[in-house]
Amino acid sequence: MVAWRGDILIPSSYLHPVFYQDITKCILKEDNIIAILQMGKLRHRWGSDCPRSSSRIAEFQDVLAEPKIVLQKLCELCFSGIPFDGGLRCLCWKILLNYLPVEKALWSTLLKKQRELYSQFLKEMIIQPGIAKANLGVSREDVTLEDHPLNPNPDSRWNTYFKDNEVLLQIDKDVRRLYPDMAFFQRPTDYPCLLILDPQNEFETLRKRVEQTTLKSQTVARNRSGVTNVSSPLKTSAPNSLSEYEVLPNGCEAHWEVVERILFIYAKLNPGIAYVQGMNEIVGPLYYTFATDPNNDWKEHAEADTFFCFTNLMAEIRDNFIKSLDDSQCGITYKMEKVYSTLKEKDVELYLKLQEQNIKPQFFAFRWLTLLLSQEFLLPDVIRIWDSLFADDNRFDFLLLVCCAMLILIRDQLLEGDFTLNMRLLQDYPISDVRLILKKAKELQDSK
């Protein structure tokens, strides 16, 4: 079976089953199934041009069955798209993102160690200063004359706690709006964190910190440029708006709350960058992929596995989120200019047109590059693009080529349009066939 969305044909084996769970209306008509999903219209039908997914799955299984996986072979397969069947994509991403080594004999020990480490992070970082759990071996420390909530000392645990709250509020605001057209992130996870939700413990959960924060009188937001915005709550959207996720009853936690916890721990462990808006769009597809793994043994540990894969991915792209590095050779400005220099090399007429209209790459390529195109396409398409990005040896050089391909594929419209029309095209990209985009990007790569 394949899924047809507009002009794109996607094998059903490449789609996650949760998309089928989001069906709100289904009409059977001869050999076609028309399904209207929350994410948009998908028409499912039998097609003679459906790839031989069973043989392709077998190719992946053969490569992954080796005691020592040949990374080059795996990358070649993954570049053309990874089937979802049997948790293949989840496993391949963990290898491609350097979470799992190619020696399979090391997996068990490494996974046990990393998951225990993540549990330790939970114990150490999601706890209010002055409140601890005795049976975890942490003694209770009451408020003292030396350290109290009004202590201005930068080393004060209370001072750190309140600064962490500012970061937490921004994370909470962003993750509640993560893929609002999808039901997945609002649903309860099958594997809530028992360490956090245990009613007998004395941990202050992130949920309680948000509810009880002393910053209720104002909303604090830190944008990509590092500017802190403080606004009246009267000007913010209502907490019960449809664009934000609701909190589930005690004892349950939604997927977005798991993502919130991952981002908070990352911010605590990386104070130099902490949290910047947009990171939620990077961790979202990773967590979604791992949390929908059909293998429950892997799915149960989606949170910890996502954290370490996200950390590894951020190690490669974190410079995009650091403003002080924007103009360096590893900064986002250099990469945006590289998109235009590549375009000039491949299509000088289009390049000159954009220059003539003063359409700078900052107007559109900033979002494309920083968020790895996660805001330009529907989630299954983003995941398909990431298959190729993660599998390419020079994955983020390939991203530049993908961006260049996106421009070239709409060259006719751009050459004919004025500034306003072209800005609309670039900020709301019209082509949904990511296979076409990836094919063009590969052609640009091979023509070098």
Side-chain angles (χ1 to χ4, degrees):
M1 181 173 285
V2 296
W4 182 267
R5 197 206 67 220
D7 57 351
I8 179 169
L9 192 68
I10 311 173
S12 62
S13 62
Y14 286 68
L15 294 178
H16 294 253
V18 72
F19 286 105
Y20 301 114
Q21 297 172 16
D22 283 339
I23 294 177
T24 58
K25 184 178 181 181
C26 186
I27 304 173
L28 296 177
K29 184 177 181 181
E30 297 179 358
D31 64 333
N32 292 331
I33 301 176
I34 302 177
I36 302 177
L37 304 189
Q38 288 185 337
M39 288 195 63
K41 293 184 178 180
L42 291 179
R43 286 180 291 167
H44 299 277
R45 70 176 186 180
W46 292 103
S48 59
D49 52 353
C50 179
R52 296 177 59 187
S53 57
S54 60
S55 62
R56 184 155 174 76
I57 290 170
E59 289 184 84
F60 275 90
Q61 291 172 337
D62 289 343
V63 171
L64 293 170
E66 295 293 329
K68 183 174 182 178
I69 296 168
V70 180
L71 191 58
Q72 183 179 351
K73 288 184 179 179
L74 182 64
C75 288
E76 289 172 358
L77 282 175
C78 293
F79 187 85
S80 299
I82 310 170
F84 177 74
D85 301 66
L88 290 174
R89 174 176 282 123
C90 310
L91 186 56
C92 289
W93 278 18
K94 291 181 176 85
I95 297 170
L96 297 176
L97 291 173
N98 302 312
Y99 178 48
L100 290 178
V102 293
E103 296 87 356
K104 293 176 63 177
L106 302 177
W107 287 5
S108 178
T109 302
L110 181 139
L111 289 170
K112 183 175 184 294
K113 177 183 176 182
Q114 294 298 85
R115 290 163 180 173
E116 288 177 352
L117 178 60
Y118 186 75
S119 294
Q120 190 62 35
F121 290 157
L122 294 178
K123 294 173 186 178
E124 293 179 358
M125 298 174 193
I126 303 183
I127 182 172
Q128 178 181 358
I131 299 178
K133 188 174 181 181
N135 63 4
L136 288 177
V138 183
S139 62
R140 179 183 176 90
E141 298 175 24
D142 293 321
V143 175
T144 64
L145 290 175
E146 291 77 21
D147 195 8
H148 50 80
L150 299 181
N151 187 352
N153 189 326
D155 296 327
S156 164
R157 293 176 63 189
W158 285 100
N159 187 289
T160 301
Y161 174 76
F162 293 133
K163 287 184 177 179
D164 288 347
N165 271 0
E166 295 185 20
V167 176
L168 176 58
L169 285 176
Q170 184 60 57
I171 294 174
D172 185 77
K173 179 181 178 182
D174 291 345
V175 297
R176 286 176 187 257
R177 299 179 298 190
L178 187 61
Y179 291 101
D181 294 331
M182 272 187 66
F184 171 78
F185 286 96
Q186 303 175 50
R187 293 195 185 111
T189 172
D190 294 332
Y191 298 99
C193 182
L194 299 180
L195 177 64
I196 298 297
L197 295 183
D198 182 358
Q200 300 301 317
N201 69 41
E202 296 181 8
F203 276 103
E204 183 185 44
T205 65
L206 296 187
R207 180 187 295 186
K208 290 179 182 177
R209 286 183 69 164
V210 171
E211 292 172 350
Q212 300 173 6
T213 179
T214 56
L215 299 177
K216 285 181 179 178
S217 62
Q218 55 190 6
T219 299
V220 179
R222 181 187 177 206
N223 63 21
R224 161 62 177 74
S225 300
V227 177
T228 299
N229 300 317
V230 180
S231 60
S232 166
L234 297 176
K235 296 181 181 179
T236 61
S237 59
N240 294 325
S241 65
L242 294 177
S243 64
E244 297 185 354
Y245 298 159
E246 301 299 325
V247 174
L248 297 176
N250 288 334
C252 300
E253 62 178 356
H255 289 291
W256 67 263
E257 293 184 272
V258 181
V259 173
E260 177 176 79
R261 192 158 53 235
I262 292 170
L263 289 169
F264 182 74
I265 292 177
Y266 178 83
K268 288 284 291 178
L269 289 172
N270 297 271
I273 184 173
Y275 172 78
V276 180
Q277 285 176 301
M279 291 182 183
N280 57 309
E281 304 293 347
I282 301 296
V283 74
L286 287 175
Y287 174 74
Y288 172 82
T289 299
F290 297 159
T292 55
D293 193 322
N295 186 327
N296 288 333
D297 291 338
W298 289 97
K299 183 178 179 180
E300 180 179 0
H301 300 284
E303 179 177 352
D305 293 348
T306 299
F307 171 80
F308 289 108
C309 286
F310 172 68
T311 299
N312 289 350
L313 180 57
M314 283 300 300
E316 299 185 56
I317 66 172
R318 60 177 288 161
D319 292 348
N320 294 344
F321 292 89
I322 301 176
K323 183 174 176 57
S324 61
L325 297 177
D326 279 358
D327 296 324
S328 69
Q329 191 166 351
C330 60
I332 189 65
T333 301
Y334 174 82
K335 294 171 185 174
M336 290 188 292
E337 291 173 350
K338 189 73 179 293
V339 172
Y340 262 24
S341 64
T342 304
L343 179 65
K344 182 179 181 181
E345 177 186 339
K346 303 297 182 181
D347 192 333
V348 66
E349 182 182 7
L350 178 56
Y351 167 79
L352 291 174
K353 177 68 174 182
L354 296 178
Q355 290 287 83
E356 176 190 329
Q357 294 184 343
N358 199 29
I359 296 179
K360 302 182 183 299
Q362 289 88 336
F363 298 163
F364 61 93
F366 177 86
R367 187 176 72 186
W368 291 7
L369 295 170
T370 303
L371 304 183
L372 307 185
L373 298 171
S374 61
Q375 293 242 303
E376 312 313 311
F377 304 97
L378 296 180
L379 185 54
D381 297 328
V382 172
I383 290 171
R384 171 61 192 91
I385 292 173
W386 285 18
D387 286 345
S388 295
L389 285 183
F390 295 165
D392 195 84
D393 289 338
N394 303 306
R395 63 184 61 160
F396 300 112
D397 287 340
F398 185 71
L399 176 61
L400 300 179
L401 293 173
V402 172
C403 295
C404 188
M406 290 170 65
L407 295 172
I408 293 174
L409 287 172
I410 57 171
R411 72 182 308 275
D412 291 342
Q413 298 100 302
L414 292 172
L415 290 174
E416 294 177 3
D418 57 16
F419 176 86
T420 302
L421 180 59
N422 286 344
M423 283 301 301
R424 287 177 183 168
L425 283 172
L426 295 171
Q427 302 223 346
D428 186 12
Y429 192 73
I431 296 178
S432 60
D433 189 344
V434 296
R435 294 182 311 154
L436 180 63
I437 296 169
L438 291 171
K439 179 182 178 182
K440 185 64 178 178
K442 182 61 176 172
E443 290 175 359
L444 295 176
Q445 185 183 57
D446 293 340
S447 66
K448 282 189 173 182

